[in-house]
Amino acid sequence: MNTQKSKFAFEEAKKYIPGGVNSPVRAFSNVGDHPLFISRADGSRIFDIDGNEYIDYVGSWGPMLLGHAYKKVVEAVKAAAEGSPSFGAPCLDETRLAKCICDIVDGVELVRMVNSGTEATMSAIRLARGFTGRDIIVKFEGCYHGHSDSLLIKAGSGALTFGSASSAGVVAELAKYTLVLPYNDIGALEAAFSQMGEKIAGVIVEPVAGNMGVIPPADGFLRTIERLCRENGSVFIADEVMTGFRVSPSGAAGLYGIKPDIITFGKIIGGGLPVGAYGGRRDIMEYISPTGPVYQAGTLSGNPLAMAAGLAQLTELKENPHIYGKLEESGAYLEKGLTEAAEAACVDVRINRVGSMLSVFFTDVDVTDFNTACRSDAEKFKRYFNAMLRRGIYLAPSQFESVFISAAHTREDLDKTINAAYESMREI
Ligand SMILES: *Cc1c(COP(=O)(O)O)cnc(C)c1O
């Protein structure tokens, strides 16, 4: 496989862009010496600038649920662009997309559009703090909620000690207001609330963790968050930027039957354009400016191109609910194939999957939280990643990411992937 042009393009990019990329994981630092530069994508396939073709399981990190260059989405964007890319004034598609989200997701009564998942979660925790008049936010170790200061906090040394900044440049004092608990640990959650429940503004959680590899919620975990928030007057924020409209038509909230106060969205609702949103209970959402005292704004929020793309994608999903059955089927098929490939090669793996999200962990312990995820053999993953890439399978370049299956992946694509895994597992 020749990737000379990508190699050169990366050298060139590094001259003008920090690390050559606009989002760190794209640099392939954990798996190789240079990323692939992509020229185009279609359905389940992406093509690099050297002309190589791959079956894509990154799907732009989640948004491309219908596959790449989905015709109705592309047409909608083209039509919107003809009418000018931005007005900075209300347009009808904003209401249509908001209504579409409210119609599909139970409990979302009002929704505010922003430009990224980061903005959605940042705004949601500000809203939780403003609404409750409290400061403390609870998050879980290994969950990623974008890169706002309050959420770039890693766990402290003890169970109920406050965390510390996980990035330079975050004011150290801010860590005092973010409590980081182990994912799936109901006991830790109960202890935190019994100790400081009246100070907790809100709890933010990935209802299916996807940013430490895929980790499903343990029985009762989400329900306990919901109950403790209700009992203590705290705001329950489900960060569904990844899971929204993916793990079920109404996301993880629908799948697990929970009712968060606020849900954050991104990725899929933008159809590949930069969009985020947060929505939920009317009385809480009315706390946002201009109806309430919590300020939040955006020059390009509700952008006509982005709204058109999102609306086209969500409309397609709404009109074709069988897509979710197909995604589950494809996920189960791939999971079975990969499990058998690992067994045939005597490689210890744990495969976690929820619908079309899946991770292969190279470990012999069940992966249920950040600590167990970290037991995975990163060197083995690196060899697996490269062996798969050489066979035309494009996986996320990190052990701690999900495989994203789209509706465009065919049985033939999955079989090719499983065959590649049989060979790759033997090589590593
Ligand atoms: C991707 C992601 C974010 C951040 O979204 P951006 O659009 O990258 O800012 C937040 N939360 C979760 C769960 C995500 O997967």
Side-chain angles (χ1 to χ4, degrees):
M1 190 176 69
N2 186 347
T3 60
Q4 275 309 110
K5 284 185 182 166
S6 279
K7 197 176 166 68
F8 178 77
F10 191 45
E11 292 310 314
E12 191 66 8
K14 281 193 282 193
K15 291 182 195 162
Y16 307 104
I17 301 171
V21 291
N22 284 310
S23 196
V25 70
R26 292 182 202 166
F28 273 40
S29 338
N30 296 320
V31 293
D33 62 344
H34 67 85
L36 301 176
F37 279 63
I38 305 303
S39 57
R40 66 186 185 89
D42 186 19
S44 63
R45 307 298 170 117
I46 53 165
F47 302 85
D48 70 15
I49 58 173
D50 287 279
N52 302 303
E53 176 180 340
Y54 309 85
I55 301 174
D56 176 32
Y57 288 100
V58 177
S60 187
W61 302 93
M64 313 315 280
L65 186 68
L66 295 170
H68 287 287
Y70 194 77
K71 204 161 186 309
K72 286 186 184 170
V73 175
V74 172
E75 293 299 327
V77 173
K78 277 187 187 164
E82 298 281 355
S84 185
S86 187
F87 318 126
C91 70
L92 291 175
D93 276 353
E94 291 174 87
T95 313
R96 292 188 185 115
L97 183 55
K99 179 175 187 310
C100 190
I101 294 171
C102 293
D103 284 350
I104 297 174
V105 187
D106 195 32
V108 175
E109 298 175 311
L110 290 175
V111 59
R112 167 64 59 85
M113 300 296 167
V114 291
N115 304 288
S116 69
T118 293
E119 237 186 287
T121 55
M122 176 187 76
S123 307
I125 62 169
R126 181 184 303 143
L127 176 58
R129 285 169 164 160
F131 181 74
T132 58
R134 304 172 181 178
D135 294 330
I136 294 174
I137 296 292
V138 174
K139 80 175 282 286
F140 298 93
E141 200 177 11
C143 285
Y144 176 68
H145 303 292
H147 61 86
S148 71
D149 287 1
S150 282
L151 295 169
L152 282 184
I153 306 293
K154 62 181 179 219
S157 46
L160 285 182
T161 51
F162 283 86
S164 58
S166 62
S167 162
V170 172
V171 175
E173 268 68 43
L174 208 56
K176 286 197 288 208
Y177 303 108
T178 304
L179 183 62
V180 185
L181 302 178
Y183 194 76
N184 275 335
D185 189 338
I186 292 173
L189 201 52
E190 280 170 341
F193 269 95
S194 76
Q195 195 164 317
M196 60 188 95
E198 80 289 352
K199 292 187 190 144
I200 295 175
V203 178
I204 185 165
V205 65
E206 283 185 78
V208 175
N211 287 291
M212 49 180 154
V214 175
I215 301 183
D219 271 352
F221 177 59
L222 298 173
R223 246 175 236 301
T224 304
I225 299 176
E226 182 177 51
R227 176 177 58 79
L228 290 171
C229 282
R230 205 131 298 160
E231 287 170 4
N232 289 272
S234 312
V235 178
F236 174 15
I237 305 166
D239 180 0
E240 298 229 44
V241 170
M242 186 183 288
T243 53
F245 300 95
R246 175 171 288 277
V247 297
S248 91
S250 47
L255 185 63
Y256 296 106
I258 50 165
K259 211 168 167 196
D261 301 309
I262 300 286
I263 302 180
T264 55
F265 300 98
K267 299 192 171 121
I268 288 173
I269 65 158
L273 272 83
V275 180
Y278 60 112
R281 255 170 59 188
R282 178 176 298 274
D283 61 328
I284 301 180
M285 290 303 292
E286 281 179 343
Y287 244 68
I288 306 166
S289 189
T291 41
V294 174
Y295 191 70
Q296 185 269 307
T299 301
L300 294 175
S301 293
N303 171 267
L305 261 58
M307 295 300 101
L311 188 60
Q313 176 145 283
L314 291 199
T315 303
E316 201 63 4
L317 292 173
K318 197 172 164 185
E319 287 172 358
N320 299 284
H322 69 271
I323 284 174
Y324 290 93
K326 185 187 171 189
L327 288 169
E328 168 60 29
E329 229 171 74
S330 299
Y333 189 77
L334 189 61
E335 179 184 0
K336 181 166 178 287
L338 295 176
T339 304
E340 288 167 358
E343 273 168 14
C346 297
V347 176
D348 280 327
V349 296
R350 287 292 183 275
I351 300 183
N352 283 353
R353 180 181 71 85
V354 176
S356 57
M357 290 168 59
L358 171 155
S359 288
V360 178
F361 294 95
F362 291 92
T363 173
D364 58 1
V365 296
D366 290 345
V367 177
T368 57
D369 60 10
F370 186 64
N371 277 336
T372 43
C374 288
R375 306 255 306 256
S376 191
D377 186 338
E379 281 307 308
K380 212 169 246 182
F381 173 81
K382 180 177 175 175
R383 293 195 293 273
Y384 171 69
F385 170 86
N386 283 295
M388 292 293 274
L389 191 66
R390 278 197 299 278
R391 292 174 173 84
I393 312 297
Y394 187 84
L395 302 170
S398 159
Q399 169 72 85
F400 302 104
E401 302 288 352
S402 173
V403 156
F404 293 112
I405 302 164
S406 78
H409 285 86
T410 61
R411 183 55 68 95
E412 195 192 340
D413 289 333
L414 301 174
D415 281 332
K416 249 188 116 171
T417 307
I418 292 164
N419 287 338
Y422 267 90
E423 294 176 11
S424 299
M425 291 280 186
R426 258 187 228 118
E427 249 175 47
I428 62 174

